[in-house]
Amino acid sequence: MQFSASQIAPLISGVIEGDASVLVSNFGKIESAQPGDLAFLANPKYESFAYTTKASILLVANTFAPKQPVASTLIRVEDPYAALAQLMQLVEQQSAPRLQGISPKAHIADDVELGEDVYVAPFAVIEPGAKIGRGCQVHSFAYIGRGVTLGEGTVIYPQVTLYHGVQVGARCIIHAGAVLGSDGFGFAPESDGYHKIPQLGSVLVEDDVEIGANTCIDRAVMDNTVISRGVKLDNLIQIAHNCEVGEHTVMASQVGLAGSSAVGKWCRFGGQVGIGGHLTIGDRVEMAGQTGVLGNVASGTALMGSPGMPLREAMRSFVIQPKLPDMYRRLQALEKELAELKQQL
Amino acid sequence: MQFSASQIAPLISGVIEGDASVLVSNFGKIESAQPGDLAFLANPKYESFAYTTKASILLVANTFAPKQPVASTLIRVEDPYAALAQLMQLVEQQSAPRLQGISPKAHIADDVELGEDVYVAPFAVIEPGAKIGRGCQVHSFAYIGRGVTLGEGTVIYPQVTLYHGVQVGARCIIHAGAVLGSDGFGFAPESDGYHKIPQLGSVLVEDDVEIGANTCIDRAVMDNTVISRGVKLDNLIQIAHNCEVGEHTVMASQVGLAGSSAVGKWCRFGGQVGIGGHLTIGDRVEMAGQTGVLGNVASGTALMGSPGMPLREAMRSFVIQPKLPDMYRRLQALEKELAELKQQL
Amino acid sequence: MQFSASQIAPLISGVIEGDASVLVSNFGKIESAQPGDLAFLANPKYESFAYTTKASILLVANTFAPKQPVASTLIRVEDPYAALAQLMQLVEQQSAPRLQGISPKAHIADDVELGEDVYVAPFAVIEPGAKIGRGCQVHSFAYIGRGVTLGEGTVIYPQVTLYHGVQVGARCIIHAGAVLGSDGFGFAPESDGYHKIPQLGSVLVEDDVEIGANTCIDRAVMDNTVISRGVKLDNLIQIAHNCEVGEHTVMASQVGLAGSSAVGKWCRFGGQVGIGGHLTIGDRVEMAGQTGVLGNVASGTALMGSPGMPLREAMRSFVIQPKLPDMYRRLQALEKELAELKQQL
């Protein structure tokens, strides 16, 4: 499909500068775009490419004042990145087939409540007592356990397992292979081995949460493991039993939270971060990748290292780290020198 | 469901102190319990809550000597934590529906041996030559490969894959998405790329093992990768080919063992620990989260850090770590000072 | 099945020394082999076992000159390890049942193109527009999304999810639970939360790639996330959107690559390595397990530590690490001593 600048501009409240009839059929990066591509300029670092790009259309900010001639047709908007995301959503909506209907090849218990416009794919399983909200998608090989609830418009991709009693809010996206509600890792050590502590709680996922592929969220021993509104979890993350993740916190891949820890709102964790058990992490905490946390963390802190240090301290410390052997030699030399000097005196 | 203290006490060999007719319907934590909750006091640190808790029933040790009046009905037992676990198990048994029968929607090869009281869910697959022990549960989307054996009472949750020939003992629990018996990561480097070494061994899981969601255990190149009796593995763990994990060892989430390493008995690994290949780790070894191990480890050792150091050394070293830049400056200053002093003399 | 030395030798262009009629039925390690086993000697470190091994047949190099008598029948070959791999492949081919046919219990869209000799298992799903090359295997619970293409001879194990549009080359092996083409982790922060950036690109996997169990490869925001020819990825690895992994690079388990990073050819990463976003890693780069990378890395570099240091520097630094507290004390002592000395003078 091709679109002209004059078709695109009204969709994003944009103003055209240049040839309004030029056609695009694809997105491209400003530095590598080809004719027929639409590119965007958001980061001022990339401004120089605006004068050389082959993109047919370039989204720019209203405030953009070119210092040289620009060959592309410009569409001026308030926020080029947001406008781009908006256009991408339109393309996605047009290109994705509308999924509808309940496959006769799905296995759905008799008493399941299915909202309007629900899609249930072949070989999906929905167990007794589940409630599937309006407009949900339940893909092939999704397992919706006994008594699970899904809010409106939630998408469950293939191979997802929701154990019994898990509650998922509205407009959530759960990617393939994610597991919610498996037993928390709770055992009582006895002389003959570890005895299982039953995990009688569940998992509560609030609205607008996205959960990545093969991520695991364990059910609580009592009460709920809680993933709050707007949280975004990447792939292969571990959230142990009884954890709470605050609103709008984002975690990159392979982060692990040990049991009963609470993470605040608007935090951002890099990949492979590890948080110990029974800890409290404040709001707007930032962690670099591979940070390890053994104690509580105050709101607004930025950490790095394992165990985690304040970011600046960590950066300075890591610069010196390779000098350690040299420092050790110099320390020994100083001791010797000083001892010799003292003897001479 | 509600239960009175007089109904509960005999189940756990307890002795009632206070109103034996008081009713509870839920478990609660001593510090946040509400009327109608049963709570417990095991850790002496929490004793003060015994005098303020709203729990209707409080499990306490036989030896508990209150220093103030307690409002809750007490049930005195030998070990309050173990008694709690016992009660939770009873509740779980009562609340979980009894799963039974072989679904006609499952795909089961003709020659599969199914024990008595086996549950096979819709869309489970059991390949030729498999043997399913008495009382096993095989959930939807579980894949039981050719010649796999399951001991009595083992539970295979949804989306689990057991490749051909994997042997699982009795009373094991394998959580959703776990993969046992995938090919070990074995390749011979050649000038045109890596050539696959066939992985002809298998995986042997002994009795009473629990394996977490999305955990992976690779098949051996020859012989077996072995998970011994009583081992508990959390979610997202990697056990490479030809590893052996000793009895009653527990590993938290995201631990990784490289190929051909042997871990002893009764070890405890924190999350994200990484063990190199071809290593021997002794018995009762403890590792803090994110520990990295590059060499053999003697029994009884506690490690921390990457690469791992003895725990106390590591703790002391980490305290000094942020002072490194300061130390470097002070070292330079000393050198200068000493040089100046020597010149003056 | 049993094979004689005279049956085996021609399969691997070997020359027999000793009893050509001796029979073997299994592979064994030179140090623990039993009568009836075939073992091999490739690493000179193991030569002493050649004189004590109970293996009935021993594969050795043409150049092997025994210093003592060897009881086993020898088969001399150019490269014993390669010959072993070849024999193991023959055994595997003979022992694995030939999988063939399209199960009527699979769900395959009408317009799917199926090559010759394709195997599709019960409860596999193949969505519209997919093309399955000659000789592919699609196992139970594999999800082949809309428009996916599989090259000739590719094997898709159970529980694999290939989201729409993913392209996989020839002779690839994708292990159970792997997810290719899930949405990249892209969100625009707004005051009311994170807004999803549609991920309109896809994943391109070239020929001869092996992907481990539960590994995740996200689709690109535009264009493709690329896994090049001959790459081998172990289990539980995360490849974020828009990454590129160069030819013949191998990564051990639990490695994580953040978005838009490019890794060169013939690299080797140990387990749990973490690579930051938007980085360029050269060719033939080696990383020890748990290495963390925050910047670009030149070709031929070997790294260790988090953040990563050149391998030798890292090794030296880690040796000194436990001495840090001691160094600190000695530094303080020196300062005091020097100050006292200066006062005395």
Side-chain angles (χ1 to χ4, degrees):
Chain A
M1 287 183 296
Q2 285 192 312
F3 301 89
S4 66
S6 53
Q7 286 175 302
I8 292 167
L11 302 173
I12 50 175
S13 310
V15 176
I16 301 172
E17 246 178 70
D19 178 4
S21 68
V22 68
L23 295 168
V24 291
S25 61
N26 213 343
F27 295 98
K29 294 177 192 165
I30 191 169
E31 68 272 28
S32 59
Q34 296 301 311
D37 285 357
L38 177 148
F40 76 108
L41 173 62
N43 187 334
K45 282 188 193 166
Y46 285 77
E47 186 186 324
S48 67
F49 291 112
Y51 312 119
T52 57
T53 186
K54 293 179 187 159
S56 299
I57 300 180
L58 190 62
L59 299 187
V60 296
N62 285 329
T63 53
F64 174 59
K67 291 172 196 126
Q68 299 176 33
V70 176
S72 320
T73 294
L74 298 183
I75 302 184
R76 292 182 173 278
V77 291
E78 182 77 26
D79 177 344
Y81 192 55
L84 178 80
Q86 219 177 319
L87 285 177
M88 291 174 79
Q89 272 155 15
L90 290 171
V91 168
E92 191 175 47
Q93 283 160 21
Q94 295 222 346
S95 65
R98 212 187 141 222
L99 297 172
Q100 49 186 332
I102 312 295
S103 169
K105 293 185 186 172
H107 177 81
I108 305 177
D110 291 341
D111 68 344
V112 167
E113 287 182 28
L114 294 173
E116 283 174 45
D117 289 321
V118 160
Y119 168 68
V120 183
F123 309 138
V125 167
I126 309 183
E127 298 278 22
K131 295 179 187 176
I132 311 298
R134 189 157 65 92
C136 283
Q137 297 177 14
V138 179
H139 285 256
S140 296
F141 315 126
Y143 178 83
I144 311 295
R146 193 164 31 93
V148 165
T149 61
L150 303 184
E152 293 192 4
T154 282
V155 178
I156 308 294
Y157 278 109
Q159 330 278 9
V160 167
T161 298
L162 305 181
Y163 279 68
H164 68 275
V166 168
Q167 299 170 67
V168 178
R171 297 172 305 279
C172 291
I173 299 172
I174 306 189
H175 280 285
V179 176
L180 278 67
S182 43
D183 285 345
F185 199 63
F187 300 92
E190 306 279 348
S191 59
D192 63 341
Y194 287 85
H195 292 205
K196 186 172 177 66
I197 311 279
Q199 305 289 305
L200 301 177
S202 190
V203 173
L204 172 63
V205 175
E206 296 184 353
D207 296 343
D208 300 304
V209 168
E210 184 158 343
I211 295 174
N214 285 339
T215 280
C216 298
I217 305 175
D218 277 353
R219 68 190 314 111
V221 56
M222 297 168 194
D223 303 322
N224 282 316
T225 305
V226 179
I227 310 296
S228 304
R229 190 164 60 92
V231 166
K232 311 296 180 189
L233 301 180
D234 200 351
N235 302 335
L236 293 164
I237 286 173
Q238 157 73 356
I239 308 287
H241 54 175
N242 293 82
C243 284
E244 295 188 23
V245 180
E247 293 180 9
H248 307 304
T249 279
V250 295
M251 299 186 187
S253 180
Q254 298 173 322
V255 166
L257 261 66
S260 299
S261 280
V263 174
K265 300 173 185 176
W266 290 100
C267 294
R268 301 196 307 172
F269 291 3
Q272 301 180 336
V273 162
I275 309 286
H278 298 273
L279 301 181
T280 301
I281 313 296
D283 297 336
R284 295 181 188 275
V285 169
E286 314 245 325
M287 304 226 186
Q290 298 189 330
T291 299
V293 178
L294 297 170
N296 295 337
V297 177
S299 289
T301 311
L303 291 181
M304 188 184 188
S306 175
M309 295 176 265
L311 185 62
R312 285 190 187 180
E313 248 176 58
M315 298 290 270
R316 287 193 199 116
S317 162
F318 291 140
V319 169
I320 306 297
Q321 184 76 27
K323 300 187 206 276
L324 256 187
D326 174 52
M327 285 174 68
Y328 190 69
R329 275 189 303 271
R330 285 159 68 180
L331 186 65
Q332 284 179 309
L334 269 177
E335 286 171 335
K336 199 178 157 199
E337 239 178 295
L338 189 58
E340 285 169 0
L341 185 63
K342 283 168 93 171
Q343 253 179 343
Q344 288 166 18
L345 295 174
Chain B
M1 288 184 295
Q2 286 192 314
F3 301 90
S4 66
S6 52
Q7 285 175 302
I8 291 168
L11 302 173
I12 50 177
S13 309
V15 175
I16 300 171
E17 244 177 71
D19 177 6
S21 69
V22 67
L23 295 167
V24 292
S25 60
N26 213 343
F27 296 98
K29 294 178 192 165
I30 190 169
E31 68 271 29
S32 59
Q34 295 300 310
D37 285 357
L38 177 148
F40 76 109
L41 173 62
N43 187 334
K45 282 187 193 166
Y46 286 76
E47 186 187 323
S48 67
F49 292 113
Y51 312 117
T52 58
T53 186
K54 294 180 186 158
S56 300
I57 299 180
L58 190 62
L59 299 186
V60 297
N62 285 328
T63 54
F64 174 59
K67 293 175 195 121
Q68 299 175 34
V70 177
S72 320
T73 295
L74 297 184
I75 301 183
R76 291 182 174 278
V77 292
E78 182 78 27
D79 177 345
Y81 192 54
L84 178 79
Q86 220 177 317
L87 285 178
M88 291 175 78
Q89 272 155 16
L90 290 171
V91 167
E92 191 175 47
Q93 282 160 21
Q94 296 222 346
S95 65
R98 208 183 145 225
L99 297 172
Q100 49 186 332
I102 312 294
S103 170
K105 292 186 186 172
H107 176 82
I108 305 177
D110 291 341
D111 68 345
V112 167
E113 287 181 28
L114 294 173
E116 282 174 46
D117 289 322
V118 160
Y119 168 69
V120 183
F123 310 138
V125 167
I126 309 182
E127 298 279 20
K131 295 179 187 178
I132 311 299
R134 189 158 65 92
C136 283
Q137 296 177 15
V138 179
H139 286 255
S140 296
F141 315 127
Y143 178 83
I144 311 294
R146 195 163 27 93
V148 166
T149 61
L150 303 185
E152 293 191 3
T154 282
V155 178
I156 307 294
Y157 278 110
Q159 330 278 10
V160 166
T161 296
L162 305 181
Y163 279 68
H164 67 275
V166 168
Q167 299 171 68
V168 179
R171 296 172 304 278
C172 291
I173 299 172
I174 305 188
H175 280 285
V179 176
L180 277 67
S182 43
D183 286 344
F185 198 63
F187 300 93
E190 306 280 348
S191 59
D192 64 340
Y194 287 85
H195 292 204
K196 185 171 178 67
I197 312 280
Q199 304 289 304
L200 300 178
S202 190
V203 173
L204 172 62
V205 175
E206 297 184 353
D207 296 343
D208 299 305
V209 168
E210 184 159 343
I211 295 173
N214 286 340
T215 280
C216 298
I217 304 176
D218 278 352
R219 69 190 314 111
V221 57
M222 296 169 193
D223 303 322
N224 281 317
T225 305
V226 179
I227 310 296
S228 304
R229 190 166 59 93
V231 166
K232 311 296 179 190
L233 302 180
D234 201 352
N235 303 335
L236 293 164
I237 285 174
Q238 156 74 357
I239 308 288
H241 54 175
N242 293 82
C243 283
E244 296 188 23
V245 180
E247 293 180 9
H248 307 303
T249 278
V250 296
M251 299 187 187
S253 179
Q254 297 174 322
V255 166
L257 261 66
S260 299
S261 280
V263 175
K265 300 173 185 176
W266 290 101
C267 295
R268 302 195 307 171
F269 292 2
Q272 301 181 335
V273 162
I275 309 286
H278 298 272
L279 301 180
T280 301
I281 313 296
D283 297 337
R284 296 182 189 275
V285 169
E286 313 245 324
M287 305 224 186
Q290 298 189 328
T291 298
V293 179
L294 297 171
N296 295 338
V297 178
S299 289
T301 311
L303 292 181
M304 189 185 187
S306 175
M309 297 176 265
L311 185 63
R312 283 190 189 180
E313 247 176 57
M315 297 289 271
R316 286 192 199 116
S317 163
F318 291 139
V319 169
I320 306 298
Q321 185 75 29
K323 300 188 206 279
L324 257 187
D326 175 51
M327 284 173 69
Y328 190 68
R329 275 189 303 270
R330 284 159 66 179
L331 186 65
Q332 283 179 310
L334 270 177
E335 286 172 334
K336 201 178 156 200
E337 241 177 295
L338 189 59
E340 284 169 1
L341 185 63
K342 284 169 90 171
Q343 252 180 344
Q344 287 168 16
L345 296 175
Chain C
M1 288 184 294
Q2 285 191 313
F3 301 91
S4 66
S6 53
Q7 285 176 302
I8 292 168
L11 301 173
I12 50 175
S13 310
V15 176
I16 300 172
E17 245 177 71
D19 177 6
S21 69
V22 68
L23 295 167
V24 291
S25 60
N26 212 343
F27 296 98
K29 294 177 192 167
I30 190 169
E31 67 272 29
S32 59
Q34 295 301 312
D37 285 358
L38 177 148
F40 75 109
L41 172 62
N43 188 335
K45 282 188 194 167
Y46 286 76
E47 186 186 324
S48 66
F49 292 112
Y51 311 119
T52 57
T53 186
K54 295 180 186 157
S56 300
I57 300 180
L58 190 62
L59 299 186
V60 296
N62 285 327
T63 54
F64 174 58
K67 292 173 196 123
Q68 299 176 32
V70 176
S72 320
T73 295
L74 297 184
I75 300 182
R76 292 184 173 277
V77 291
E78 182 77 27
D79 177 345
Y81 192 53
L84 178 80
Q86 219 177 317
L87 285 178
M88 292 175 78
Q89 272 156 15
L90 290 170
V91 169
E92 190 175 46
Q93 283 160 21
Q94 295 221 347
S95 65
R98 210 184 143 225
L99 298 172
Q100 49 185 333
I102 312 295
S103 169
K105 291 186 186 172
H107 176 82
I108 304 176
D110 291 339
D111 67 345
V112 168
E113 287 181 30
L114 294 174
E116 281 174 45
D117 289 321
V118 160
Y119 168 68
V120 183
F123 309 138
V125 167
I126 309 182
E127 298 278 22
K131 295 180 188 177
I132 311 299
R134 189 156 65 91
C136 284
Q137 297 176 14
V138 179
H139 285 256
S140 296
F141 315 127
Y143 178 84
I144 311 294
R146 192 163 31 91
V148 165
T149 61
L150 302 184
E152 292 190 5
T154 281
V155 178
I156 307 294
Y157 278 109
Q159 330 277 10
V160 167
T161 297
L162 305 181
Y163 279 67
H164 68 274
V166 168
Q167 299 171 67
V168 178
R171 297 172 303 281
C172 291
I173 299 172
I174 306 189
H175 280 286
V179 177
L180 278 68
S182 44
D183 286 343
F185 199 63
F187 301 92
E190 306 280 347
S191 59
D192 64 340
Y194 288 85
H195 292 204
K196 186 172 178 65
I197 312 280
Q199 305 289 306
L200 300 178
S202 190
V203 173
L204 172 62
V205 175
E206 295 184 355
D207 296 344
D208 299 305
V209 169
E210 184 158 344
I211 295 174
N214 285 341
T215 280
C216 298
I217 304 176
D218 277 352
R219 69 191 313 112
V221 57
M222 297 170 194
D223 303 323
N224 282 317
T225 304
V226 179
I227 310 296
S228 303
R229 190 163 59 91
V231 166
K232 311 296 180 190
L233 302 180
D234 200 352
N235 303 336
L236 293 164
I237 286 173
Q238 156 74 356
I239 309 287
H241 54 174
N242 293 83
C243 283
E244 294 188 23
V245 180
E247 291 179 10
H248 307 304
T249 279
V250 295
M251 299 187 187
S253 179
Q254 297 174 323
V255 166
L257 262 66
S260 300
S261 280
V263 174
K265 299 172 184 176
W266 290 100
C267 294
R268 302 196 306 171
F269 292 3
Q272 300 181 336
V273 162
I275 309 286
H278 298 272
L279 301 181
T280 301
I281 313 296
D283 296 337
R284 296 181 188 274
V285 170
E286 312 246 325
M287 305 225 186
Q290 297 189 329
T291 299
V293 179
L294 298 169
N296 295 338
V297 177
S299 288
T301 310
L303 291 181
M304 188 186 188
S306 175
M309 296 176 266
L311 184 63
R312 285 190 187 180
E313 246 177 58
M315 297 289 270
R316 288 193 198 116
S317 162
F318 291 139
V319 169
I320 306 298
Q321 184 77 29
K323 301 188 204 278
L324 258 187
D326 175 51
M327 285 173 69
Y328 191 69
R329 276 189 302 270
R330 284 159 69 180
L331 186 65
Q332 283 179 310
L334 271 176
E335 285 172 336
K336 200 178 156 199
E337 240 177 296
L338 188 59
E340 284 169 1
L341 185 63
K342 285 169 90 172
Q343 252 181 345
Q344 288 167 15
L345 296 174

